[in-house]
Amino acid sequence: MHSKEVVISGGGMVGAALAVALSRLGLSITLLEKQPPAAFSADSAIDLRVSSLNLRSERWLTELGAWQVLETMRLCPYHYLQAGEAKAQLRFAAADIHSSHLGHIVENNLLQLALWQQFTSHITVITDAHIVAFAEQPQQLDITLSDDRTLQAALLIGADGAQSMVRQLAGIGSSGWQYQQACLVACVDTPYPQQDITWQQFYPSGPRAFLPLPGAQASLVWYDEAAKIKQLAQLSPKALQNAFIEAFPAELGAITLTSSAWFPLARMQANQYVKGRVVLAGDAAHTINPLAGQGVNLGFADAIQLVQCLSDNISAGRELAATHSLGAYQRQRKWQNSLMMTAMDFIYQGFSRESDALSFVRQQGLRLASRAGVIKRLLTQYAVGNDLI
Ligand SMILES: Cc1cc2nc3c(=O)[nH]c(=O)nc-3n(C[C@H](O)[C@H](O)[C@H](O)COP(=O)(O)OP(=O)(O)OC[C@H]3O[C@@H](n4cnc5c(N)ncnc54)[C@H](O)[C@@H]3O)c2cc1C
């Protein structure tokens, strides 16, 4: 009889979703999280960290029961997605793919909470200790916690974010780089009722994005040179509000800033997603430029694939960490994640070069894609989370 003990380090959106899905396979889960989500109240301020979730993530979160809970809290659907530059824009509509919407903007802490509310007695949560070491034995991993407790597991999943301790303890290296740009995120009140479009306009200094939030609120993201972003972050709230109004397209209107914070941008990919009985998922395995809002969508895609591999191992009577299916997890997810990272860098580079010739090519490309129904439908399918390759 193979061990059914799984330890997950990190109970953020990806780790919590994995805990729920794996507990439903009959596995016994121990989840370590240093910052459990706070309770929800309808008048709590909007979390500055919001994510645009695609239809594939939404479907999976519905299967897990978290989406239904999120709907009773707060979330905002969008029906249109527009990207381009001042002279040419490409607009995608849900109707193009016969869908009721293209995605939703959700608050990270509320989604995490909605997932935690699906935890059952098969999930043991530890919030007062973290992993400090582990040793691989032939049949299991022996895991030591910061309070000297020990745990045994057939599998250890690192879902502990970009600075993953599990990745470091496993000696898994990573490659990537820090972008020269950073981004400033602001939560604002807009002069309009709830909007149903998310848009992104590219400038040579970087894109500026609008994500609708419930009511008249919105999240704005301003990408620019790191030095410029740090300068903006030093401004008084009133001066920063004016800077946003000046820098963003006029369609934004006279916003009122309610909160803001800046984030560095990094691309990172772990050299291995799997090493013996250790598996990485979500930001612990990869971080991507947030430009097109793909980070946690890729993390959920990792989680879906990992759950499938482990389910196959259980059905076939193999042990959980059987290498051939975990190897398939690593191959498929690394390939898909690399593809998306490269696509993001291509778009980012393509739009940030200032040259008349390139600008002409960009505008023609956007106009062509706008008119070519097939290309537009394919791009829309990709945007909502369907793989093209
Ligand atoms: C500005 C910005 C905008 C973004 N917008 C989008 C978007 O629109 N759409 C999208 O899909 N993605 C977006 N992302 C990316 C998205 O936020 C991340 O991909 C996502 O948060 C990753 O989830 P995760 O659960 O893998 O990691 P995290 O969210 O980092 O969660 C890791 C969890 O592990 C816990 N933890 C860490 N170390 C330990 C430890 N040693 N022991 C125990 N617990 C630990 C942490 O407390 C945390 O709860 C954006 C990112 C940024 C910076």
Side-chain angles (χ1 to χ4, degrees), residues 248-259:
F248 270 56
E251 65 197 275
L252 177 64
I255 46 107
T256 308
L257 185 125
T258 52
S259 57

Side-chain angles (χ1 to χ4, degrees), residues 135-158:
E136 186 141 2
Q137 309 297 348
Q139 300 300 322
Q140 67 191 40
L141 273 180
D142 290 342
I143 299 169
T144 309
L145 303 189
S146 49
D147 59 2
D148 291 333
R149 259 182 288 178
T150 55
L151 302 171
Q152 273 78 46
L155 199 68
L156 167 61
I157 301 177

Side-chain angles (χ1 to χ4, degrees), residues 95 116 130 150 250 337 358 362 377:
W116 277 54
H130 58 271
T150 55
N337 293 333
L358 198 57
R362 277 198 306 257
R377 267 195 301 282

Side-chain angles (χ1 to χ4, degrees), residues 10 13-14 32-34 49 51-52 160 283 293-297:
M13 296 181 284
V14 173
L32 297 119
E33 168 55 54
K34 53 185 184 182
R49 292 184 53 128
S51 296
S52 161
D160 46 356
D283 272 25
Q294 288 299 327
V296 80
N297 288 303

